């Protein structure tokens, strides 16, 4: 690629690297590690499956060596995933995708030989940034990212049939920049081929929370639009300098991520770019761009005005301002795990046994007390009496909602018609249904249910987890006590204690909401009402429109 001269491309690093920025020549005291005939110069990145090294091949080429961690090399399933990554990487041949040259084994350790990219990741730039990236530079990065995704999504088998590849891990850490300011997408470790393949497991969450599309979080079928959602998240982060869905708790981040582009996203962006993002981050795949090419055309329509500096030039300036050209230069940048940017509110962890002497101590059972102080607990599937008495602390507080208009009597089809109307008109507010013995409240936000409360306390979250064997009654009771102390939802307390994962809580909340919605549609008597603009004020999981449509069909 041309550089430096008139009419050439403005490089992120000089064509001629000054002596002060060159890699130091190895001295007699410096020992270069060798592996399978390759000279290893240093670690580029470390992950949960492998370590990536900058290396020199026997023929003198600069390459990247991805070595599987020895502890995983004995696991056939992990080795199979590693080989699938290699086969996909060897099939790709596009300037926006990192190519894999070979897969080999040395001393029972599988490794890949890959294209070496002498530049930082996008995460590196953002982590070091002190200013916001100019829109033209952000659009330049994402436009080239979309070129790579278009090539990846367009891969075909030897017979010419589409493979249906989905990357599943598009994020700033996996987007690398060359010395010329070009983009290369890498890390195909969790990519899947959707044509003729088994659907991804719903039990293991693979990918980065905050960048995954709603259908990926929910374990539903994936396609190219899943990656386009992630590309939209990257664009938002480049433009605003903050993560789109980051919240102060993993569970809250997950639920915000699942909601997609909702009212919580407000980056102060120019109107045209905001509209592009709104479509890219739609919760329902059918509302997003159909392909990477469609996304690119939308970006082209909001390109900078004629005469303005190019995105590549503005990216070079941004790299210089963030001091990415450090002592070693971009050519030897070491890609580290992304550090959080900006202050993050974290709930303080309680030490073992903390909170037992609080105002709720008298209501904590002996089993929960023993659990909190390290004692042995007899696992009993039944609910302890103290937890049974404290259902009221977990249940939604019901009172007469303010502003409830005249109610309508339930008739066949009326409930379904009213819910359909709220969804179609993207209404926000509180839908109330009640009989002489029961009441259900459905909070809507922009046409989607985000919280469903019911006076029937048999289906509380904690009791569902106990019944499913994911938690014991003692753990649930202790979590209730801590939730009261922390003034947080029960689900967040359970995650912070390590009892269940954020995904497990998220899945159960979604399932609970769907079941309650189905139950509501089966009511044959009672009265209905709606209060505009009421909000729940609690942790909300926004049901996807497709889930509502399935329930109303």
């Amino acid at each position: 690629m041309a550089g430096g001269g008139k009419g050439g491309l403005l490089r992120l690093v000089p064509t001629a690297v000054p002596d002060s920025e060159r890699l130091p020549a190895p001295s007699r005291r410096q020992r270069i590690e060798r592996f399978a005939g390759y000279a290893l110069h240093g670690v580029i990145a470390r992950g949960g499956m492998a370590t990536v090294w900058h290396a020199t091949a026997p023929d003198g080429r600069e390459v990247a060596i991805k070595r599987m961690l020895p502890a995983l090399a004995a696991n056939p399933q992990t080795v199979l995933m590693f080989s699938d990554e290699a086969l996909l990487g060897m099939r790709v041949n596009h300037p926006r995708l990192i190519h894999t040259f070979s897969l080999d084994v040395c001393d029972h350790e599988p490794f890949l030989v890959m294209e070496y990219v002498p530049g930082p990741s996008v995460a590196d730039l953002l982590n070091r940034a002190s200013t916001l990236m100019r829109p033209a530079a952000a659009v330049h990065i994402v436009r080239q990212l979309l070129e790579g995704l278009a090539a990846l999504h367009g891969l075909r088998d030897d017979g010419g049939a589409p493979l249906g590849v989905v990357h599943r891990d598009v994020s700033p850490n996996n987007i690398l920049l060359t010395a010329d300011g070009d983009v290369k997408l890498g890390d195909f470790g969790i990519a899947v081929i959707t044509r003729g393949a088994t659907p991804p497991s719903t039990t293991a969450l693979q990918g980065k929370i905050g960048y995954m599309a709603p259908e990926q979080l929910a374990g539903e079928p994936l396609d190219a639009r899943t990656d386009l959602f992630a590309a939209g998240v990257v664009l938002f982060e480049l433009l605003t300098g903050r993560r789109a869905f980051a919240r102060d708790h993993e569970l809250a981040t997950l639920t915000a991520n699942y909601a997609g582009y909702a009212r919580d996203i407000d980056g102060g962006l120019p109107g045209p770019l905001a509209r592009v993002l709104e479509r890219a981050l739609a919760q329902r795949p059918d509302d997003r761009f159909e392909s990477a090419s469609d996304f690119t055309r939308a970006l082209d329509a909001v390109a900078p005005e004629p005469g303005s500096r190019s995105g590549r030039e503005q990216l070079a300036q941004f790299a210089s301002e963030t001091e990415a050209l450090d002592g070693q230069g971009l050519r030897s940048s070491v890609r580290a795990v992304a550090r959080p940017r900006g202050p993050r509110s974290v709930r303080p962890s309680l030490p073992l046994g903390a909170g037992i002497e609080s105002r709720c101590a008298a209501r904590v059972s002996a089993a929960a007390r023993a659990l909190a102080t390290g004692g042995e607990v007899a696992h009993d599937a039944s609910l302890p009496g103290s937890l049974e008495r404290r259902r009221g602390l977990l249940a939604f507080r019901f009172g007469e909602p303010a502003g409830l208009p005249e109610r309508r009597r339930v008739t066949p089809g009326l409930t379904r018609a009213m819910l359909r109307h709220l969804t179609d008109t993207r209404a926000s507010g509180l839908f109330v249904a009640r009989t002489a013995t029961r009441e259900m409240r459905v909070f809507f936000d922009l046409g989607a249910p985000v919280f469903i409360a019911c006076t029937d306390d048999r289906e509380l979250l904690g009791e569902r987890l106990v019944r499913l064997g994911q938690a014991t009654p003692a753990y649930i009771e202790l979590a209730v006590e801590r939730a009261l102390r922390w003034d947080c939802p029960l689900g967040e307390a359970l995650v912070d204690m390590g009892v269940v994962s954020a995904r497990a809580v998220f899945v159960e909340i979604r399932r609970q909401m769907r079941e309650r919605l189905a139950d509501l549609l089966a009511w044959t008597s009672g009265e209905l009402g709606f209060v505009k603009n009421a909000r729940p004020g609690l942790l909300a999981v926004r049901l996807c429109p497709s889930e509502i449509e399935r329930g109303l069909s």
Side-chain angles (χ1 to χ4, degrees), residues 123-418:
D124 280 330
L125 291 185
L126 294 177
N127 288 334
R128 298 167 181 167
S130 58
T131 60
L132 287 179
M133 184 178 291
R134 299 288 297 173
V139 170
H140 165 75
I141 290 175
V142 174
R143 183 186 283 117
Q144 291 205 343
L145 169 64
L146 291 170
E147 290 179 17
L149 287 175
L152 186 67
H153 297 157
L155 286 176
R156 296 175 177 270
D157 62 19
D158 295 337
L163 291 172
V165 177
V166 182
H167 187 283
R168 293 204 299 173
D169 200 13
V170 176
S171 64
N173 279 306
N174 293 330
I175 303 170
L176 305 185
L177 300 174
T178 70
D180 297 295
D182 288 320
V183 164
K184 283 185 176 289
L185 175 64
D187 198 345
F188 307 116
I190 63 171
V192 293
I193 296 176
T194 59
R195 176 190 57 80
T198 302
S201 170
T202 59
T203 58
L205 190 61
Q206 292 184 304
K208 295 182 179 69
I209 293 178
Y211 297 93
M212 290 187 280
E215 62 272 18
Q216 187 175 351
L217 288 167
E220 297 175 351
L222 312 179
D223 59 29
R225 296 170 296 183
T226 301
D227 289 337
L228 302 186
F229 182 96
V233 178
V234 171
L235 177 59
F236 178 90
E237 192 167 344
L238 293 174
L239 292 168
T240 66
R242 61 187 178 89
R243 293 184 173 92
F245 305 113
R247 302 296 185 266
D248 62 357
H249 191 276
E250 181 186 7
L251 181 57
T253 298
L254 197 156
T255 56
N257 189 173
Y258 184 72
Y261 191 104
R263 65 169 77 248
D264 289 338
I265 291 186
D266 179 15
L269 302 172
L273 273 176
R275 288 191 290 273
V276 170
L277 276 172
E278 184 173 3
R279 184 173 178 188
L281 301 181
Q283 189 179 37
R284 186 170 60 179
D286 288 346
D287 294 334
R288 297 179 210 145
F289 296 106
E290 184 68 25
S291 66
S293 299
D294 289 341
F295 197 161
T296 300
R297 283 191 287 271
L299 288 177
D300 290 341
V302 296
E305 297 179 1
S308 63
R309 298 175 62 195
S310 72
R312 192 188 302 273
E313 291 174 327
Q314 293 193 17
L315 177 58
Q317 180 181 354
F318 179 78
S320 177
E321 291 173 352
T322 57
E323 297 181 348
L325 292 171
D326 52 16
Q328 296 290 324
L330 291 188
R331 291 184 183 276
S332 59
S333 174
V334 175
R335 185 154 58 103
V337 177
R339 300 181 300 275
R341 296 185 293 281
R344 185 170 182 261
S345 174
V346 180
R347 182 180 301 113
S349 298
L350 294 181
L352 198 62
I356 295 301
E357 300 305 323
S358 71
R359 60 186 174 85
C360 300
R363 294 196 295 255
V364 176
S365 70
R369 184 183 300 273
L371 181 66
T373 54
E376 294 185 0
V377 179
H379 290 255
D380 185 359
S382 62
L383 288 170
S386 57
L387 183 57
E388 186 73 29
R389 293 192 300 272
R390 294 175 65 192
R391 287 175 181 269
L393 296 174
L394 295 166
F396 186 80
R397 290 352 185 237
F398 278 88
E400 187 65 20
L404 186 64
E406 182 178 355
R407 306 177 188 90
R408 302 174 63 180
R409 301 296 301 176
V410 173
T411 59
L414 177 61
T415 304
R416 190 181 304 273
M418 289 186 67

Side-chain angles (χ1 to χ4, degrees), residues 36-52:
Y38 294 84
L40 306 182
H41 301 299
V43 173
I44 299 174
R46 289 187 174 91
M49 178 183 288
T51 301
V52 183

